[in-house]
Coordinates of all heavy atoms in Angstrom, one line a residue:
M54 N 0.8 -1.2 0.0 CA 0.0 0.0 0.0 C 0.9 1.2 0.0 O 1.9 1.3 0.7 CB -0.9 0.0 1.2 CG -1.8 1.1 1.3 SD -2.9 0.9 2.8 CE -3.3 2.6 3.0
K55 N 0.5 2.2 -0.8 CA 1.3 3.4 -0.9 C 1.1 4.3 0.3 O 0.0 4.2 1.0 CB 0.9 4.2 -2.1 CG 1.3 3.6 -3.4 CD 1.1 4.5 -4.6 CE 1.6 3.9 -5.8 NZ 1.4 4.8 -7.0
N56 N 2.1 5.1 0.7 CA 2.0 6.0 1.8 C 1.1 7.2 1.4 O 1.1 7.7 0.3 CB 3.4 6.6 2.1 CG 4.3 5.5 2.7 OD1 3.9 4.4 2.8 ND2 5.5 5.9 2.9
P57 N 0.2 7.6 2.3 CA -0.7 8.7 2.0 C 0.0 10.0 1.8 O 1.0 10.3 2.5 CB -1.6 8.7 3.2 CG -1.1 7.8 4.2 CD 0.0 7.0 3.6
I58 N -0.5 10.8 0.9 CA 0.0 12.1 0.7 C -1.1 13.1 0.9 O -2.2 12.9 0.4 CB 0.5 12.3 -0.8 CG1 1.7 11.3 -1.0 CG2 0.9 13.7 -1.1 CD1 2.1 11.2 -2.5
I59 N -0.8 14.1 1.7 CA -1.8 15.1 2.0 C -1.4 16.5 1.5 O -0.2 16.7 1.3 CB -2.1 15.2 3.5 CG1 -0.9 15.5 4.3 CG2 -2.8 13.9 4.0 CD1 -1.2 15.8 5.8
E60 N -2.3 17.3 1.2 CA -2.0 18.7 0.7 C -2.3 19.7 1.8 O -3.4 19.7 2.4 CB -2.8 19.0 -0.5 CG -2.3 20.3 -1.2 CD -2.9 20.5 -2.5 OE1 -3.3 19.5 -3.2 OE2 -3.0 21.6 -3.0
T61 N -1.3 20.4 2.2 CA -1.4 21.4 3.3 C -1.1 22.8 2.7 O -0.8 22.9 1.5 CB -0.5 21.1 4.4 OG1 0.9 21.2 4.0 CG2 -0.7 19.8 5.0
E62 N -1.2 23.8 3.5 CA -0.9 25.2 3.0 C 0.6 25.3 2.7 O 1.0 26.2 1.9 CB -1.3 26.2 4.1 CG -0.5 26.1 5.4 CD -1.1 25.2 6.4 OE1 -2.2 24.6 6.1 OE2 -0.5 25.0 7.4
L63 N 1.4 24.4 3.2 CA 2.9 24.4 2.8 C 3.2 23.6 1.6 O 4.3 23.7 1.1 CB 3.7 23.9 4.0 CG 3.5 24.7 5.3 CD1 4.3 24.0 6.5 CD2 4.0 26.1 5.1
G64 N 2.3 22.9 1.1 CA 2.5 22.0 -0.1 C 2.1 20.6 0.3 O 1.5 20.3 1.3
N65 N 2.6 19.6 -0.6 CA 2.3 18.2 -0.4 C 3.2 17.7 0.7 O 4.4 18.0 0.8 CB 2.5 17.4 -1.7 CG 1.5 17.8 -2.7 OD1 0.4 18.2 -2.4 ND2 1.8 17.5 -4.0
E66 N 2.6 16.8 1.6 CA 3.3 16.1 2.6 C 3.1 14.6 2.5 O 2.0 14.2 2.1 CB 2.9 16.6 4.0 CG 3.3 18.0 4.2 CD 3.1 18.5 5.7 OE1 2.5 17.7 6.5 OE2 3.5 19.6 6.0
K67 N 4.1 13.8 2.7 CA 4.1 12.4 2.6 C 4.3 11.7 3.9 O 5.1 12.2 4.7 CB 5.1 11.9 1.6 CG 5.2 10.5 1.3 CD 6.2 10.1 0.3 CE 6.1 8.6 0.0 NZ 7.0 8.3 -1.1
Q68 N 3.6 10.6 4.2 CA 3.8 9.9 5.4 C 4.9 8.9 5.4 O 5.0 8.1 4.4 CB 2.5 9.2 5.8 CG 2.5 8.5 7.2 CD 1.2 7.9 7.5 OE1 0.5 7.4 6.6 NE2 0.9 7.7 8.8
C69 N 5.8 8.9 6.4 CA 6.9 8.0 6.4 C 6.3 6.6 6.9 O 5.5 6.5 7.7 CB 7.9 8.4 7.5 SG 9.2 7.2 7.8
S70 N 6.8 5.5 6.3 CA 6.2 4.2 6.6 C 6.7 3.7 7.9 O 6.2 2.7 8.4 CB 6.6 3.2 5.4 OG 8.0 3.1 5.4
K71 N 7.8 4.2 8.4 CA 8.3 3.7 9.7 C 7.8 4.5 10.9 O 7.3 4.0 11.8 CB 9.9 3.8 9.7 CG 10.5 2.8 8.8 CD 10.4 1.4 9.2 CE 11.1 0.5 8.3 NZ 11.0 -0.9 8.7
C72 N 8.0 5.9 10.9 CA 7.6 6.7 12.0 C 6.1 7.2 11.9 O 5.6 7.7 12.9 CB 8.5 7.9 12.2 SG 8.5 9.1 10.9
K73 N 5.5 7.0 10.8 CA 4.1 7.4 10.5 C 3.9 8.9 10.7 O 2.8 9.4 10.8 CB 3.2 6.7 11.5 CG 3.3 5.2 11.4 CD 2.9 4.7 10.1 CE 2.9 3.1 10.1 NZ 3.2 2.6 8.8
D74 N 5.0 9.7 10.6 CA 4.8 11.2 10.6 C 4.7 11.7 9.2 O 5.2 11.1 8.3 CB 6.0 11.9 11.3 CG 6.0 11.6 12.8 OD1 4.9 11.4 13.4 OD2 7.1 11.7 13.4
F75 N 4.1 12.9 9.0 CA 4.0 13.5 7.7 C 5.1 14.5 7.6 O 5.3 15.3 8.5 CB 2.6 14.2 7.5 CG 1.5 13.2 7.2 CD1 0.7 12.7 8.2 CD2 1.3 12.8 5.9 CE1 -0.3 11.8 8.0 CE2 0.2 12.0 5.6 CZ -0.5 11.4 6.7
W76 N 5.8 14.5 6.5 CA 6.9 15.4 6.2 C 6.7 16.0 4.8 O 6.1 15.4 3.9 CB 8.3 14.6 6.2 CG 8.6 14.0 7.5 CD1 8.4 12.6 7.8 CD2 9.0 14.6 8.7 NE1 8.8 12.4 9.1 CE2 9.2 13.6 9.7 CE3 9.4 15.9 9.0 CZ2 9.6 13.9 11.0 CZ3 9.8 16.2 10.3 CH2 9.9 15.2 11.3
P77 N 7.3 17.2 4.6 CA 7.2 17.8 3.2 C 7.8 16.8 2.2 O 8.9 16.2 2.4 CB 8.0 19.1 3.3 CG 7.9 19.4 4.8 CD 7.9 18.1 5.5
M78 N 7.2 16.7 1.1 CA 7.6 15.8 0.0 C 8.7 16.5 -0.8 O 8.4 17.0 -1.9 CB 6.4 15.4 -0.8 CG 6.6 14.1 -1.5 SD 5.1 13.4 -2.2 CE 4.7 14.5 -3.5
D79 N 9.9 16.5 -0.3 CA 11.0 17.1 -1.1 C 12.3 16.3 -0.7 O 12.3 15.4 0.2 CB 11.2 18.6 -0.9 CG 11.4 18.9 0.6 OD1 11.6 18.1 1.4 OD2 11.4 20.2 0.9
S80 N 13.4 16.6 -1.4 CA 14.6 15.9 -1.2 C 15.3 16.2 0.2 O 16.3 15.6 0.5 CB 15.6 16.2 -2.3 OG 15.9 17.6 -2.4
E81 N 14.8 17.2 0.9 CA 15.4 17.4 2.2 C 15.0 16.4 3.2 O 15.7 16.0 4.1 CB 14.9 18.8 2.7 CG 15.5 19.2 4.0 CD 15.1 20.6 4.5 OE1 14.5 21.3 3.7 OE2 15.3 20.9 5.6
F82 N 13.8 15.8 3.1 CA 13.3 14.8 4.0 C 13.2 13.4 3.5 O 13.2 12.4 4.3 CB 11.9 15.2 4.5 CG 11.8 16.5 5.2 CD1 11.5 17.7 4.6 CD2 12.1 16.5 6.6 CE1 11.5 18.9 5.3 CE2 12.1 17.7 7.3 CZ 11.8 18.9 6.6
F83 N 13.2 13.2 2.2 CA 13.1 11.8 1.6 C 14.2 11.7 0.5 O 14.5 12.7 -0.2 CB 11.8 11.6 0.9 CG 10.6 11.5 1.9 CD1 9.9 12.6 2.2 CD2 10.3 10.3 2.5 CE1 8.8 12.5 3.1 CE2 9.3 10.2 3.4 CZ 8.5 11.3 3.7
F84 N 14.8 10.5 0.3 CA 15.7 10.3 -0.8 C 14.8 10.2 -2.0 O 13.7 9.7 -2.0 CB 16.4 9.0 -0.6 CG 17.5 9.0 0.4 CD1 17.5 8.3 1.5 CD2 18.6 9.8 0.2 CE1 18.5 8.3 2.5 CE2 19.7 9.8 1.1 CZ 19.6 9.1 2.2
A85 N 15.3 10.8 -3.1 CA 14.5 10.8 -4.4 C 15.3 10.2 -5.5 O 16.5 10.3 -5.5 CB 14.2 12.3 -4.7
R86 N 14.6 9.7 -6.5 CA 15.2 9.2 -7.7 C 14.2 9.5 -8.9 O 13.0 9.7 -8.6 CB 15.5 7.7 -7.7 CG 14.2 6.9 -7.5 CD 14.6 5.4 -7.1 NE 13.4 4.6 -7.0 CZ 12.6 4.7 -5.9 NH1 12.7 5.5 -5.0 NH2 11.5 3.9 -5.9
L87 N 14.8 9.6 -10.1 CA 13.9 10.0 -11.2 C 13.1 8.7 -11.6 O 13.7 7.6 -11.7 CB 14.7 10.5 -12.4 CG 15.3 11.9 -12.2 CD1 16.2 12.2 -13.4 CD2 14.3 12.9 -11.9
G88 N 11.9 8.9 -11.9 CA 11.0 7.8 -12.3 C 11.1 7.5 -13.7 O 11.9 8.1 -14.5
N89 N 10.4 6.6 -14.2 CA 10.3 6.2 -15.6 C 9.8 7.4 -16.5 O 9.0 8.2 -16.0 CB 9.5 5.0 -15.9 CG 10.0 3.8 -15.2 OD1 11.2 3.7 -15.1 ND2 9.1 2.9 -14.8
P90 N 10.4 7.6 -17.7 CA 9.9 8.7 -18.5 C 8.4 8.6 -18.9 O 7.9 7.5 -19.2 CB 10.8 8.6 -19.8 CG 11.5 7.3 -19.7 CD 11.4 6.8 -18.3
R91 N 7.8 9.7 -19.0 CA 6.4 9.7 -19.4 C 6.4 9.7 -20.9 O 7.4 9.7 -21.6 CB 5.7 11.0 -18.9 CG 5.6 11.0 -17.4 CD 4.9 12.3 -17.0 NE 4.5 12.2 -15.6 CZ 3.9 13.2 -15.0 NH1 3.5 14.3 -15.6 NH2 3.6 13.1 -13.7
K92 N 5.2 9.8 -21.5 CA 5.0 9.8 -22.9 C 5.6 11.0 -23.6 O 6.2 11.0 -24.7 CB 3.5 9.7 -23.3 CG 2.9 8.4 -23.0 CD 1.5 8.4 -23.4 CE 0.9 7.0 -23.1 NZ -0.6 7.0 -23.5
D93 N 5.6 12.2 -22.9 CA 6.2 13.4 -23.4 C 7.7 13.5 -23.1 O 8.4 14.4 -23.5 CB 5.5 14.6 -22.9 CG 5.6 14.8 -21.4 OD1 6.2 13.9 -20.7 OD2 5.2 15.8 -20.9
G94 N 8.3 12.5 -22.5 CA 9.8 12.4 -22.2 C 10.2 13.0 -20.9 O 11.4 12.9 -20.6
T95 N 9.3 13.6 -20.2 CA 9.7 14.2 -18.9 C 9.8 13.1 -17.8 O 9.1 12.1 -17.9 CB 8.7 15.3 -18.4 OG1 7.4 14.7 -18.3 CG2 8.7 16.4 -19.4
R96 N 10.6 13.4 -16.8 CA 10.7 12.5 -15.7 C 10.5 13.2 -14.4 O 11.1 14.3 -14.2 CB 12.1 11.8 -15.7 CG 12.4 11.1 -17.0 CD 13.8 10.6 -17.0 NE 13.9 9.3 -16.3 CZ 14.9 8.6 -16.2 NH1 16.1 9.0 -16.7 NH2 14.9 7.4 -15.6
I97 N 9.7 12.7 -13.5 CA 9.4 13.4 -12.3 C 10.1 12.6 -11.2 O 10.2 11.4 -11.2 CB 7.9 13.5 -12.0 CG1 7.2 12.2 -12.0 CG2 7.3 14.5 -13.0 CD1 5.8 12.3 -11.5
P98 N 10.5 13.2 -10.1 CA 11.1 12.5 -9.0 C 10.1 11.6 -8.2 O 9.0 12.0 -8.0 CB 11.7 13.6 -8.1 CG 10.9 14.8 -8.4 CD 10.5 14.7 -9.8
Q99 N 10.6 10.5 -7.8 CA 9.8 9.6 -6.9 C 10.5 9.5 -5.6 O 11.8 9.3 -5.5 CB 9.7 8.2 -7.5 CG 8.9 8.2 -8.8 CD 8.8 6.8 -9.4 OE1 9.6 5.9 -9.1 NE2 7.8 6.6 -10.2
F100 N 9.8 9.7 -4.5 CA 10.4 9.7 -3.2 C 10.3 8.4 -2.5 O 9.2 7.7 -2.6 CB 9.8 10.8 -2.4 CG 10.0 12.2 -2.9 CD1 9.1 12.8 -3.7 CD2 11.2 12.8 -2.7 CE1 9.3 14.1 -4.2 CE2 11.5 14.1 -3.2 CZ 10.5 14.7 -4.0
D101 N 11.3 8.0 -1.7 CA 11.2 6.7 -1.0 C 10.2 6.7 0.1 O 9.7 7.8 0.5 CB 12.6 6.4 -0.4 CG 13.6 6.0 -1.4 OD1 13.3 5.6 -2.5 OD2 14.8 6.0 -1.0
A102 N 9.8 5.6 0.6 CA 8.7 5.4 1.6 C 9.2 5.8 3.0 O 8.4 6.2 3.8 CB 8.2 4.0 1.6
V103 N 10.5 5.7 3.2 CA 11.1 6.0 4.5 C 11.8 7.3 4.5 O 12.5 7.6 3.6 CB 12.0 4.9 4.9 CG1 12.6 5.1 6.3 CG2 11.4 3.5 4.9
C104 N 11.5 8.2 5.5 CA 12.2 9.5 5.6 C 13.7 9.3 5.9 O 14.1 8.2 6.3 CB 11.5 10.4 6.7 SG 11.7 9.8 8.4
K105 N 14.5 10.3 5.7 CA 15.9 10.2 5.9 C 16.3 9.9 7.3 O 17.2 9.2 7.6 CB 16.6 11.5 5.4 CG 16.6 11.6 3.9 CD 17.4 12.8 3.5 CE 17.5 13.0 2.0 NZ 18.3 14.1 1.6
A106 N 15.6 10.4 8.3 CA 15.9 10.2 9.7 C 15.6 8.7 10.1 O 16.5 8.1 10.7 CB 15.0 11.1 10.6
C107 N 14.5 8.1 9.6 CA 14.3 6.7 9.9 C 15.2 5.8 9.1 O 15.6 4.7 9.6 CB 12.8 6.4 9.5 SG 11.7 7.1 10.6
Y108 N 15.7 6.3 7.9 CA 16.6 5.5 7.1 C 17.9 5.3 7.9 O 18.5 4.2 8.0 CB 16.9 6.2 5.8 CG 17.8 5.4 4.9 CD1 17.3 4.5 4.0 CD2 19.2 5.6 4.9 CE1 18.1 3.8 3.2 CE2 20.0 4.9 4.1 CZ 19.5 4.0 3.2 OH 20.3 3.2 2.4
E109 N 18.4 6.4 8.5 CA 19.6 6.3 9.4 C 19.4 5.3 10.5 O 20.3 4.5 10.8 CB 19.9 7.7 9.9 CG 20.3 8.7 8.9 CD 21.7 8.5 8.4 OE1 22.5 8.0 9.1 OE2 21.9 8.9 7.2
V110 N 18.3 5.3 11.2 CA 18.1 4.5 12.3 C 17.9 3.0 12.0 O 18.5 2.1 12.6 CB 16.8 5.0 13.1 CG1 16.5 4.0 14.2 CG2 17.1 6.4 13.7
F111 N 17.1 2.7 11.0 CA 16.7 1.4 10.7 C 17.6 0.6 9.7 O 17.8 -0.6 9.8 CB 15.3 1.3 10.1 CG 14.2 1.6 11.1 CD1 13.6 2.8 11.2 CD2 13.9 0.6 12.1 CE1 12.7 3.1 12.1 CE2 12.9 0.9 13.0 CZ 12.3 2.1 13.1
Y112 N 18.2 1.3 8.7 CA 18.9 0.6 7.7 C 20.4 0.7 7.8 O 21.2 -0.1 7.4 CB 18.5 1.1 6.3 CG 17.1 0.8 6.1 CD1 16.1 1.8 6.1 CD2 16.6 -0.5 5.9 CE1 14.8 1.5 5.9 CE2 15.3 -0.8 5.6 CZ 14.4 0.2 5.6 OH 13.1 -0.1 5.4
R113 N 21.0 1.8 8.4 CA 22.4 1.9 8.5 C 23.0 1.1 9.6 O 24.2 0.7 9.5 CB 22.8 3.4 8.6 CG 22.6 4.2 7.4 CD 23.7 5.1 7.1 NE 23.4 5.8 5.9 CZ 23.9 6.9 5.6 NH1 24.7 7.6 6.4 NH2 23.7 7.5 4.4
K114 N 22.3 0.9 10.7 CA 22.9 0.2 11.8 C 23.2 -1.2 11.5 O 24.2 -1.7 12.1 CB 21.9 0.3 13.0 CG 20.7 -0.5 12.9 CD 19.9 -0.4 14.2 CE 18.6 -1.2 14.0 NZ 17.8 -1.1 15.2
R115 N 22.5 -1.9 10.7 CA 22.8 -3.3 10.4 C 24.0 -3.5 9.5 O 24.6 -4.5 9.4 CB 21.6 -4.0 9.9 CG 21.2 -3.7 8.5 CD 20.0 -4.5 8.0 NE 19.0 -3.6 7.5 CZ 18.1 -4.0 6.7 NH1 18.0 -5.2 6.3 NH2 17.2 -3.1 6.2
N116 N 24.4 -2.4 8.8 CA 25.5 -2.5 7.9 C 26.7 -1.7 8.4 O 27.6 -1.3 7.6 CB 25.1 -2.1 6.5 CG 24.2 -3.1 5.8 OD1 24.3 -4.3 6.0 ND2 23.3 -2.6 5.0
A117 N 26.7 -1.4 9.7 CA 27.7 -0.5 10.2 C 29.1 -1.1 10.2 O 30.1 -0.4 10.2 CB 27.4 -0.1 11.6
T118 N 29.2 -2.4 10.1 CA 30.5 -3.1 10.1 C 31.2 -3.1 8.8 O 32.4 -3.3 8.7 CB 30.3 -4.6 10.6 OG1 29.4 -5.2 9.7 CG2 29.8 -4.6 12.0
R119 N 30.4 -2.8 7.7 CA 31.0 -2.8 6.4 C 31.7 -1.4 6.2 O 31.2 -0.4 6.6 CB 30.0 -2.9 5.3 CG 29.4 -4.3 5.3 CD 28.4 -4.3 4.2 NE 27.8 -5.6 3.9 CZ 26.9 -5.8 3.1 NH1 26.3 -4.9 2.4 NH2 26.5 -7.1 2.9
R120 N 32.9 -1.5 5.5 CA 33.6 -0.2 5.2 C 33.5 0.1 3.7 O 33.6 -0.8 2.9 CB 35.0 -0.4 5.6 CG 35.3 -0.3 7.1 CD 36.7 -0.2 7.3 NE 36.9 0.1 8.7 CZ 38.1 0.4 9.2 NH1 39.2 0.3 8.5 NH2 38.2 0.7 10.5
N121 N 33.3 1.4 3.4 CA 33.3 1.8 2.0 C 32.3 1.1 1.2 O 32.5 0.8 0.0 CB 34.7 1.7 1.4 CG 35.7 2.5 2.1 OD1 35.4 3.6 2.6 ND2 36.9 2.0 2.2
H122 N 31.1 0.8 1.8 CA 30.1 0.1 1.0 C 28.9 1.1 0.9 O 28.3 1.5 1.9 CB 29.7 -1.2 1.8 CG 28.6 -1.9 1.1 ND1 28.8 -2.5 -0.1 CD2 27.3 -2.1 1.4 CE1 27.7 -3.1 -0.5 NE2 26.8 -2.9 0.4
I123 N 28.5 1.4 -0.3 CA 27.3 2.2 -0.5 C 26.1 1.3 -0.5 O 26.0 0.3 -1.2 CB 27.4 2.9 -1.9 CG1 28.6 3.9 -1.9 CG2 26.1 3.7 -2.2 CD1 28.9 4.6 -3.2
R124 N 25.2 1.6 0.4 CA 24.1 0.7 0.7 C 22.8 0.8 -0.1 O 22.0 -0.1 0.0 CB 23.8 0.9 2.2 CG 24.9 0.5 3.1 CD 24.7 1.0 4.5 NE 25.9 0.9 5.3 CZ 26.8 1.9 5.3 NH1 26.7 2.9 4.6 NH2 27.9 1.7 6.0
S125 N 22.6 1.9 -0.8 CA 21.4 2.0 -1.6 C 21.6 2.9 -2.8 O 22.6 3.6 -2.9 CB 20.3 2.6 -0.7 OG 20.6 3.9 -0.5
N126 N 20.7 2.8 -3.8 CA 20.8 3.7 -4.9 C 20.7 5.1 -4.5 O 21.4 6.0 -5.2 CB 19.7 3.3 -5.9 CG 20.0 2.0 -6.6 OD1 21.1 1.6 -6.7 ND2 18.9 1.4 -7.1
A127 N 19.9 5.5 -3.5 CA 19.8 6.8 -3.1 C 21.1 7.4 -2.6 O 21.5 8.5 -2.9 CB 18.7 6.9 -2.0
E128 N 21.8 6.6 -1.8 CA 23.1 7.0 -1.3 C 24.1 7.2 -2.4 O 25.0 8.0 -2.4 CB 23.6 6.0 -0.2 CG 22.9 6.1 1.1 CD 23.5 5.2 2.1 OE1 23.9 4.1 1.7 OE2 23.5 5.5 3.3
R129 N 24.0 6.3 -3.4 CA 25.0 6.4 -4.5 C 24.8 7.7 -5.3 O 25.7 8.3 -5.7 CB 24.7 5.2 -5.5 CG 25.8 5.1 -6.6 CD 25.6 3.9 -7.4 NE 25.7 2.7 -6.7 CZ 24.7 1.8 -6.5 NH1 23.6 2.0 -7.1 NH2 24.9 0.7 -5.8
L130 N 23.5 8.1 -5.4 CA 23.3 9.4 -6.1 C 23.8 10.6 -5.2 O 24.3 11.6 -5.7 CB 21.8 9.6 -6.4 CG 21.2 8.6 -7.4 CD1 19.7 8.7 -7.5 CD2 21.9 8.8 -8.7
V131 N 23.6 10.5 -3.9 CA 24.0 11.6 -3.0 C 25.5 11.7 -3.0 O 26.0 12.8 -2.9 CB 23.4 11.4 -1.6 CG1 24.0 12.3 -0.6 CG2 21.9 11.5 -1.6
T132 N 26.3 10.6 -2.9 CA 27.7 10.7 -2.8 C 28.4 11.0 -4.1 O 29.6 11.3 -4.1 CB 28.3 9.3 -2.3 OG1 27.9 8.3 -3.2 CG2 27.7 9.1 -0.9
A133 N 27.7 10.9 -5.2 CA 28.4 11.2 -6.5 C 28.7 12.6 -6.7 O 28.3 13.5 -6.1 CB 27.5 10.7 -7.7

């Protein structure tokens, strides 16, 4: 099931699947990647289901023993 998106006076907000809080739907709070191209050739960003704060808590701790290992596509884009 997709995470709910609500529209507020500040813009669209998306619910994190881990903490269940609503955050602004932008690259400051969620990792983003470009989606598949549309018929007109444009690509819009798609945001991950987990916010960046929860990503740190839930996903990085289990791989903390690895060195120099990029753990996700979102991190690969950020470090490039």
Side-chain angles (χ1 to χ4, degrees):
M54 181 176 157
K55 290 187 176 184
N56 293 355
I58 297 173
I59 59 172
E60 189 169 336
T61 62
E62 63 274 357
L63 299 174
N65 290 337
E66 293 187 356
K67 183 176 182 173
Q68 185 179 26
C69 173
S70 64
K71 293 289 184 181
C72 65
K73 305 298 185 203
D74 288 335
F75 283 93
W76 299 102
M78 201 166 70
D79 60 8
S80 59
E81 184 178 348
F82 295 98
F83 293 95
F84 286 114
R86 62 191 180 288
L87 289 177
N89 294 331
R91 293 181 171 182
K92 289 181 181 179
D93 62 356
T95 60
R96 300 174 88 176
I97 58 171
Q99 293 179 339
F100 296 99
D101 286 342
V103 179
C104 67
K105 286 185 177 181
C107 290
Y108 184 88
E109 293 286 330
V110 173
F111 289 102
Y112 296 108
R113 289 220 178 158
K114 69 178 180 181
R115 72 177 127 156
N116 291 326
T118 58
R119 293 180 172 176
R120 286 188 167 187
N121 300 324
H122 180 69
I123 297 174
R124 296 166 193 84
S125 71
N126 288 336
E128 285 182 327
R129 187 175 300 117
L130 294 173
V131 171
T132 58

